[in-house]
Amino acid sequence: MKYSASKAVGAAVFLLLVGVVLVIPEFVLAAVVPLIPLLVPPVAKIKVERTEFEKPEFVGEVFSLSIPLKFYGVGVAKIYHEVGEGIEIIEGKNYSTAFIFGFGKGSIRYKGRVRKIGKHNLSKLKVVVESLSLSSEKAYEVDLNLEIEAKSRIFGRRLKELRAKAKSVMVDIDRAKIGVPGTDFKEIREYNFSDPLKFINWKASARFGKLMVNEFEKEGKKAVWIILDANDYMEGFFDKALEVCSFLVSYYATRGNKVGLYALGKSNFIYPDFGKRQVKKIFDYITSLEAEGNESLDEAYEKMKKMLYIYEPLIYVITRAEKANLKKFVRKVSKFKVVVISIKRDGESLGELTLMLARRRALRGIEHRLEVDVEERVEKLAKVVA
Amino acid sequence: MINLVLAEMSVIVTYLSLTQSEFSMIANPDYFLLLLLIPLLLFSTKRNPYPFGLFALLSALTIFHYLPNSELFHSSLDLAYFLTGSESVKILEKIVASRSVNPLYLMLISAFYVSSEVYESASRKKKAYENFPDLQASLLSLFLSLLPVLFYKLIPTYPEAFYIGIAGVILILTYSVVRR
């Protein structure tokens, strides 16, 4: 029994007992008084008026929703609009109340932001009508027929306008470490087993007294190795990380760089390759990822060490700097060029300021670093990379 | 705050019932105005100013007003007169028997108590739902609780109040159980 109902029944029983024991009719009559409000049951007929909803198309977009409601009946209505995990409410509330006595009005108004790729069902509107004495309740469910299908901003976009700007990409000047030797002379080095005989430099061999070979630059561009952090602390930041990752993959893979990917937290990697097929392969993989892993960069280093030494790639680490143990990892891969892209969400709350200080501390000393706010458009990143 | 007002009003109603009872012949009922301090003290300590204990106390005090209608009281006086033969007992019985009682006092105290409990319950819900209509719910409960008072005012002659009351309580409790 609900709080107020139990109190009302308690009062009625008390008055009844006194009235019966002392044989005072007024007490027995007064025992009816506390019970009268319990007699009114919660009843409501709900009518949804014209819903105003601007459907968002991409992840990160803000949408506003307004659901005006009309009630006919008696009671206190608690209205709750169910939103999934992938929706963040940034202004207003997804719940409300309405007082109904014959007729009542209520509404739900809020602004939200889509945080995850995929379908989000916004159809469920739950209404619980409580009796006026708040002693009993009745639940109703209204189907609003609202759905969001959010796509990532970067997917399927060619970034043509950026191609023109990106004439001096950092890795374009670096050559691949493996592949077919070209015609550009690089250096003379000692002969290794399996080196072709045609590359032996006989004059240099005679001078040094041991076999020396000419080394030529390999054809192709330097590989890019992206470490995408999919650990549980990326929740809420992961869609921006995916967006950044998608941009880097499509940017480099379509420019002739081999792009490989390591999903931190999943212990999975995709071997470096270039071209549209590789872009699709990586896109298909990362869209299926959820930020729920638990793996350190040190553990990941041990697993991908072999690949790093074969390709000597440019490494991109997309993470939250304040959460990942970056410094140790950067020290280990100091032989390679490492760019750390830290996803952040800045605000004015004490917690967010603390995170900002921790992030700054974590990024201090790292030569190539970049902070991307979850609110920022990825085009800014494109300008930086270009 | 609403609870405080309701509790203070209940204390005043109890005081009025005492001033119209034989109790005023024995002692000064003005002392009972000190009861006004109890809700204030409870309110200042951030507790419910109108708890069940206060309601029970105030209802018990109104018994002095309703004694003339109590069969048990009259039987006790008869017994006391039979055993002691005291004249004062006979005088007291004559005084009490000559007075009419007003059921409104107890009804009002009960209605104020229920309304305060609804408000208390609504205030708890307001912690979860910011704009919960606690005041409206409380006032409407007060109005519903006062319906029997209205009924009494319209039809003041109720010869079988005792049986009507018992039947009403049983019917309402049965209805609540069946509905659940």
Side-chain angles (χ1 to χ4, degrees), chain B residues 44-86:
Chain B
S44 62
T45 53
K46 291 185 178 173
R47 288 162 73 183
N48 179 11
Y50 201 178
F52 183 77
L54 183 63
F55 165 72
L57 176 70
L58 297 179
S59 307
L61 285 172
T62 56
I63 288 175
F64 290 110
H65 181 80
Y66 296 108
L67 276 179
N69 265 13
S70 170
E71 291 293 333
L72 187 76
F73 177 67
H74 287 291
S75 315
S76 308
L77 285 180
D78 288 344
L79 185 68
Y81 182 68
F82 176 73
L83 292 174
T84 60
S86 170

Side-chain angles (χ1 to χ4, degrees), chain B residues 13-30 32 58-69 73 92 95-102 105:
Chain B
V13 170
T14 311
Y15 168 74
L16 289 174
S17 78
L18 286 173
T19 54
Q20 290 185 15
S21 71
E22 289 68 34
F23 188 83
S24 57
M25 293 178 187
I26 305 160
N28 188 356
D30 291 352
F32 283 95
L58 297 179
S59 307
L61 285 172
T62 56
I63 288 175
F64 290 110
H65 181 80
Y66 296 108
L67 276 179
N69 265 13
F73 177 67
L92 181 63
I95 295 167
V96 172
S98 64
R99 189 170 63 81
S100 62
V101 295
N102 190 350
Y105 297 123

Side-chain angles (χ1 to χ4, degrees), chain B residues 141-152:
Chain B
S141 294
L142 181 65
F143 169 73
L144 291 172
S145 306
L146 290 175
L147 278 180
V149 179
L150 196 71
F151 175 75
Y152 167 74

Side-chain angles (χ1 to χ4, degrees), chain A residues 22 26 34 97 130 132 136, chain B residues 69-70 114 125 131 140 144 179:
Chain A
L22 297 177
E26 286 77 14
T97 53
E130 289 204 49
L132 288 171
S136 57
Chain B
N69 265 13
S70 170
V114 172
K125 292 190 182 188
N131 53 351
L140 204 65
L144 291 172
R179 203 179 65 187

Side-chain angles (χ1 to χ4, degrees), chain A residues 56-61 63 84-88 112-121 148-153 155 232 234-240 242-243 287-292 345:
Chain A
E57 205 176 330
F58 298 104
V59 171
E61 267 185 14
F63 67 91
E85 273 182 18
I87 305 285
E88 179 191 9
R113 181 182 287 120
V114 188
R115 286 171 53 206
K116 278 188 178 175
I117 301 163
K119 284 185 180 176
H120 304 280
N121 189 6
I148 294 173
E149 190 172 356
K151 291 176 255 174
S152 176
R153 269 181 206 285
F155 291 172
D232 48 8
M234 291 298 286
E235 180 70 41
F237 297 77
F238 194 58
D239 283 317
K240 185 50 73 175
L242 281 184
E243 209 177 310
T287 45
S288 68
L289 284 178
E290 293 273 340
E292 56 190 10
R345 178 182 279 127

